Amino acid sequence: QVQLVESGGGLVQAGGSLRLSCAASGRTFSDLAMGWFRQAPGKEREFVTTITWSGGSTYYAEYADSVKGRFTISRDNAKNTVYLQMNSLKPEDTAVYYCAARARWASRRPHEYDSWGQGTQVTVSS
């Protein structure tokens, strides 16, 4: 089991930026596929982005269409941390954001992740 702790959420105006962090412990971080998901009130948890590391400087990332071009996922294997840089934020980005981990392969399906953080609230005002 991987322990995940998110930080960096908050309140921001539309058009602003936030950076979320997720620190992992308990397994070899570089072997993990890391994902960010979000859940708005009354809605199902949805995929935001995921990243894997293939060695050296080779990373693989996928993004939901709704965030492509605005959000960037990155990871620092030396710090066991994954980041989510969110730019040009919109009110519809308001949600609790969750960090998740699974072994090796990227996935957009929440049920395929076996470790989850506690979530961090992101609120975008119009």
mmCIF file of all heavy atoms in Angstrom, residues 5-6 24 49 58 61 75 81 84 87-88 90 97 101:
data_model
loop_
_atom_site.group_PDB
_atom_site.id
_atom_site.type_symbol
_atom_site.label_atom_id
_atom_site.label_comp_id
_atom_site.label_asym_id
_atom_site.label_seq_id
_atom_site.Cartn_x
_atom_site.Cartn_y
_atom_site.Cartn_z
ATOM 1 N N VAL A 5 -0.178 11.924 0.237
ATOM 2 C CA VAL A 5 -0.611 13.137 0.931
ATOM 3 C C VAL A 5 -0.594 14.293 -0.057
ATOM 4 O O VAL A 5 0.471 14.677 -0.558
ATOM 5 C CB VAL A 5 0.285 13.458 2.134
ATOM 6 C CG1 VAL A 5 -0.186 14.735 2.814
ATOM 7 C CG2 VAL A 5 0.283 12.296 3.123
ATOM 8 N N GLU A 6 -1.774 14.851 -0.315
ATOM 9 C CA GLU A 6 -1.885 15.978 -1.240
ATOM 10 C C GLU A 6 -1.767 17.300 -0.491
ATOM 11 O O GLU A 6 -2.093 17.397 0.701
ATOM 12 C CB GLU A 6 -3.226 15.970 -1.971
ATOM 13 C CG GLU A 6 -3.527 14.754 -2.810
ATOM 14 C CD GLU A 6 -4.524 13.860 -2.146
ATOM 15 O OE1 GLU A 6 -4.591 13.874 -0.894
ATOM 16 O OE2 GLU A 6 -5.256 13.133 -2.852
ATOM 17 N N ALA A 24 4.409 10.725 -1.921
ATOM 18 C CA ALA A 24 4.138 9.298 -1.793
ATOM 19 C C ALA A 24 5.187 8.619 -0.928
ATOM 20 O O ALA A 24 6.347 9.023 -0.898
ATOM 21 C CB ALA A 24 4.111 8.646 -3.173
ATOM 22 N N THR A 49 -5.656 13.395 -15.101
ATOM 23 C CA THR A 49 -4.393 13.155 -15.788
ATOM 24 C C THR A 49 -3.654 12.027 -15.102
ATOM 25 O O THR A 49 -3.916 11.700 -13.945
ATOM 26 C CB THR A 49 -3.535 14.427 -15.797
ATOM 27 O OG1 THR A 49 -2.294 14.184 -16.478
ATOM 28 C CG2 THR A 49 -3.232 14.915 -14.383
ATOM 29 N N THR A 58 12.326 9.955 -19.927
ATOM 30 C CA THR A 58 11.137 9.556 -20.690
ATOM 31 C C THR A 58 9.937 9.394 -19.776
ATOM 32 O O THR A 58 9.940 8.540 -18.891
ATOM 33 C CB THR A 58 11.394 8.238 -21.450
ATOM 34 O OG1 THR A 58 12.534 8.380 -22.285
ATOM 35 C CG2 THR A 58 10.172 7.894 -22.309
ATOM 36 N N ALA A 61 2.329 10.736 -20.384
ATOM 37 C CA ALA A 61 1.207 11.364 -19.691
ATOM 38 C C ALA A 61 -0.031 11.378 -20.572
ATOM 39 O O ALA A 61 0.068 11.445 -21.797
ATOM 40 C CB ALA A 61 1.564 12.785 -19.272
ATOM 41 N N ARG A 75 6.444 14.733 -12.397
ATOM 42 C CA ARG A 75 6.854 13.950 -11.237
ATOM 43 C C ARG A 75 8.328 14.137 -10.990
ATOM 44 O O ARG A 75 9.118 14.311 -11.918
ATOM 45 C CB ARG A 75 6.513 12.473 -11.419
ATOM 46 C CG ARG A 75 7.194 11.784 -12.581
ATOM 47 C CD ARG A 75 6.599 10.390 -12.829
ATOM 48 N NE ARG A 75 6.846 9.487 -11.714
ATOM 49 C CZ ARG A 75 6.149 8.371 -11.490
ATOM 50 N NH1 ARG A 75 5.171 8.036 -12.313
ATOM 51 N NH2 ARG A 75 6.452 7.598 -10.481
ATOM 52 N N THR A 81 7.388 12.590 -5.432
ATOM 53 C CA THR A 81 6.293 13.557 -5.485
ATOM 54 C C THR A 81 5.800 13.733 -6.914
ATOM 55 O O THR A 81 6.601 13.766 -7.861
ATOM 56 C CB THR A 81 6.740 14.916 -4.917
ATOM 57 O OG1 THR A 81 7.165 14.734 -3.561
ATOM 58 C CG2 THR A 81 5.610 15.929 -4.942
ATOM 59 N N LEU A 84 0.648 18.714 -9.998
ATOM 60 C CA LEU A 84 -0.355 19.082 -10.988
ATOM 61 C C LEU A 84 -0.384 20.605 -11.064
ATOM 62 O O LEU A 84 -0.853 21.266 -10.138
ATOM 63 C CB LEU A 84 -1.733 18.541 -10.623
ATOM 64 C CG LEU A 84 -2.843 18.890 -11.621
ATOM 65 C CD1 LEU A 84 -2.552 18.270 -12.986
ATOM 66 C CD2 LEU A 84 -4.213 18.412 -11.112
ATOM 67 N N ASN A 87 -3.390 25.855 -14.774
ATOM 68 C CA ASN A 87 -3.434 27.220 -15.270
ATOM 69 C C ASN A 87 -4.786 27.505 -15.915
ATOM 70 O O ASN A 87 -5.528 26.580 -16.247
ATOM 71 C CB ASN A 87 -2.319 27.456 -16.288
ATOM 72 C CG ASN A 87 -0.934 27.276 -15.702
ATOM 73 O OD1 ASN A 87 -0.708 27.538 -14.520
ATOM 74 N ND2 ASN A 87 -0.011 26.839 -16.536
ATOM 75 N N SER A 88 -5.079 28.777 -16.102
ATOM 76 C CA SER A 88 -6.334 29.198 -16.746
ATOM 77 C C SER A 88 -7.527 28.493 -16.113
ATOM 78 O O SER A 88 -8.387 27.943 -16.813
ATOM 79 C CB SER A 88 -6.273 28.911 -18.250
ATOM 80 O OG SER A 88 -5.185 29.569 -18.851
ATOM 81 N N LYS A 90 -10.974 27.483 -14.412
ATOM 82 C CA LYS A 90 -12.356 27.843 -14.682
ATOM 83 C C LYS A 90 -13.229 27.428 -13.488
ATOM 84 O O LYS A 90 -12.873 26.493 -12.763
ATOM 85 C CB LYS A 90 -12.857 27.117 -15.930
ATOM 86 C CG LYS A 90 -12.023 27.340 -17.165
ATOM 87 C CD LYS A 90 -12.523 26.479 -18.317
ATOM 88 C CE LYS A 90 -11.675 26.671 -19.567
ATOM 89 N NZ LYS A 90 -12.157 25.814 -20.693
ATOM 90 N N TYR A 97 -9.709 17.381 -5.406
ATOM 91 C CA TYR A 97 -8.729 16.717 -6.257
ATOM 92 C C TYR A 97 -8.014 15.634 -5.457
ATOM 93 O O TYR A 97 -7.526 15.884 -4.345
ATOM 94 C CB TYR A 97 -7.730 17.730 -6.804
ATOM 95 C CG TYR A 97 -8.305 18.548 -7.934
ATOM 96 C CD1 TYR A 97 -9.287 19.498 -7.694
ATOM 97 C CD2 TYR A 97 -7.884 18.350 -9.245
ATOM 98 C CE1 TYR A 97 -9.846 20.222 -8.735
ATOM 99 C CE2 TYR A 97 -8.418 19.083 -10.295
ATOM 100 C CZ TYR A 97 -9.402 20.015 -10.030
ATOM 101 O OH TYR A 97 -9.952 20.733 -11.067
ATOM 102 N N ALA A 101 -2.412 6.152 -6.944
ATOM 103 C CA ALA A 101 -1.256 5.392 -7.415
ATOM 104 C C ALA A 101 -1.659 3.960 -7.746
ATOM 105 O O ALA A 101 -2.551 3.391 -7.113
ATOM 106 C CB ALA A 101 -0.160 5.379 -6.356
#
